[in-house]
C-alpha cells in the first residue's frame, strides 16, 4: 500500500513537471537537457521509441540529402545517414552545443562519414535554400517556441516537391497532436501526403507545395 502511494505521488510529480515545462516552452526555449539525452541513446530507447519504424515511415532513399531539426545525440539521424547511402548526405541542426558534441562523437563511433552536425536554431537555420529532399523532426517541434517560423524555414530548405516528416510520441511533455501538426504545416505551405500510426505515435509526411 505504501509502495503504491509512493508510485502514485511520483507519477503525479512527473506529470506536473511535464505540464509546467510544456507551458513554459511556449514563450522561451527550454530544450530537453543534454544530460537527459542518455534516455534517447540507450539500447532500449530504440525499441521503446520505434526508431526503425520511424525511419521506415519517413521513407528515406539512397542518394537523398536529409536534414533533421533537433537530432539530439542522433538516435534517428545516424541510422538515417546509413539509409541514404550511397551518395546521400545527412545534416543535423540542434540548438544545444552538448547535443552537437554527442552527435559528432556517436557518428564517428558508428563509422558514419556522410553526416554533418550544425549548431543552430530551427527558426534561423544556416543551411542553403532548396537543398534538401527530406526535412524531419521527431519529438522536437513542441520544444521550439516559434513553431510557425521553424516550419517556414523547413519549407525554404526543401527542394520543390520535397518531404517534411514530423513524428510525435506521447507522453513527451512537448507532444503535438495530429490536428495541431496539420494546422501548422498547412499554414507554412505544406500538403499532407500520408499519415502513419495512431495518435500516441504517429508520423505525418507532407509535400512542399
Ligand atoms: C526530445 S529531443 C529529440 C531528439 C531526437 N529527435 C530523437 O527523437 O531522438 C529534442 C531535440 O530538439 C532540440 N531543439 C529544441 N529546440 C530547438 C531549436 N529551436 N532548434 C534546433 N533544435 C532544437 C533539442 O536540443 C533536442 O536535442
Amino acid at each position: 500500500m505504501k509502495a503504491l502511494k509512493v508510485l502514485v505521488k511520483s507519477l503525479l510529480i512527473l506529470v506536473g513537471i511535464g505540464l509546467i515545462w510544456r507551458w513554459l516552452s511556449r514563450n522561451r526555449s527550454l530544450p530537453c537537457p543534454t544530460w537527459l539525452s542518455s534516455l534517447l541513446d540507450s539500447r532500449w530507447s530504440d525499441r521503446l521509441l520505434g526508431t526503425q519504424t520511424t525511419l521506415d515511415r519517413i521513407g528515406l532513399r539512397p542518394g537523398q540529402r536529409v536534414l533533421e531539426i533537433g537530432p539530439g545525440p542522433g538516435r534517428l539521424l545516424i541510422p538515417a545517414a546509413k539509409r541514404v547511402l550511397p551518395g546521400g548526405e545527412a545534416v543535423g541542426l540542434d540548438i544545444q552545443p552538448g547535443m552537437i558534441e554527442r552527435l559528432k562523437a556517436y557518428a564517428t563511433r558508428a563509422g558514419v562519414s556522410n553526416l554533418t552536425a550544425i549548431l543552430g536554431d530551427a527558426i534561423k537555420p544556416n543551411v542553403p535554400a532548396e537543398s534538401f529532399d527530406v526535412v524531419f523532426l521527431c519529438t522536437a517541434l513542441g520544444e521550439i517556441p516559434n513553431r510557425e517560423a521553424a516550419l517556414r524555414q523547413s519549407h525554404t530548405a526543401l527542394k520543390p516537391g520535397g518531404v517534411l516528416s514530423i513524428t510525435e510520441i506521447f507522453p513527451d511533455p512537448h507532444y503535438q497532436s495530429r490536428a495541431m501538426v496539420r494546422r501548422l504545416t498547412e499554414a507554412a505551405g505544406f500538403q499532407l501526403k500520408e499519415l502513419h500510426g495512431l495518435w500516441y505515435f504517429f508520423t505525418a509526411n507532407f509535400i512542399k507545395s
Side-chain angles (χ1 to χ4, degrees):
M1 198 62 192
K2 198 176 170 194
L4 185 67
K5 273 188 187 166
V6 171
L7 184 71
V8 171
K9 266 191 190 167
S10 311
L11 275 175
L12 286 175
I13 290 170
L14 277 178
V15 170
I17 292 172
L19 288 173
I20 293 168
W21 188 9
R22 181 184 174 90
W23 180 73
L24 289 175
S25 300
R26 286 188 189 165
N27 298 313
R28 67 195 85 177
S29 180
L30 290 170
C32 170
T34 305
W35 59 267
L36 261 184
S37 73
S38 40
L39 291 179
L40 297 171
D41 55 35
S42 59
R43 217 178 275 166
W44 58 266
S45 66
D46 271 341
R47 281 195 172 194
L48 200 66
L49 302 176
T51 299
Q52 295 307 323
T53 304
T54 303
L55 291 169
D56 289 346
R57 290 172 176 178
I58 297 170
L60 298 170
R61 292 193 305 277
Q64 288 183 321
R65 259 178 71 78
V66 56
L67 169 67
E68 181 177 7
I69 306 285
R75 175 179 71 85
L76 289 156
L77 193 61
I78 291 171
K82 294 180 180 168
R83 286 193 183 210
V84 297
L85 288 174
E89 274 181 74
V91 177
L93 178 101
D94 204 288
I95 200 166
Q96 297 189 87
M99 292 294 194
I100 289 296
E101 274 167 34
R102 284 192 187 199
L103 175 58
K104 284 181 180 168
Y106 293 168
T108 305
R109 193 178 68 188
V112 167
S113 57
N114 62 332
L115 189 155
T116 308
I118 303 175
L119 180 64
D121 191 333
I123 65 166
K124 36 181 187 303
N126 193 14
V127 295
E130 301 202 346
S131 60
F132 292 97
D133 300 288
V134 177
V135 173
F136 72 92
L137 296 91
C138 178
T139 61
L141 185 61
E143 289 191 14
I144 306 168
N146 192 341
R147 297 164 299 177
E148 295 84 353
L151 292 172
R152 282 197 300 274
Q153 291 294 334
S154 298
H155 192 274
T156 304
L158 278 168
K159 295 177 185 173
V163 171
L164 170 72
S165 181
I166 298 183
T167 298
E168 291 292 333
I169 304 172
F170 189 84
D172 173 20
H174 298 95
Y175 170 83
Q176 304 287 296
S177 69
R178 290 179 292 190
M180 175 60 79
V181 166
R182 194 161 176 188
R183 188 175 68 70
L184 291 168
T185 46
E186 287 180 352
F190 292 98
Q191 270 181 356
L192 183 65
K193 182 186 168 215
E194 57 203 2
L195 188 57
H196 301 277
L198 298 175
W199 68 271
Y200 54 87
F201 173 34
F202 71 87
T203 299
N205 292 340
F206 300 85
I207 296 280
K208 173 176 176 167
S209 50

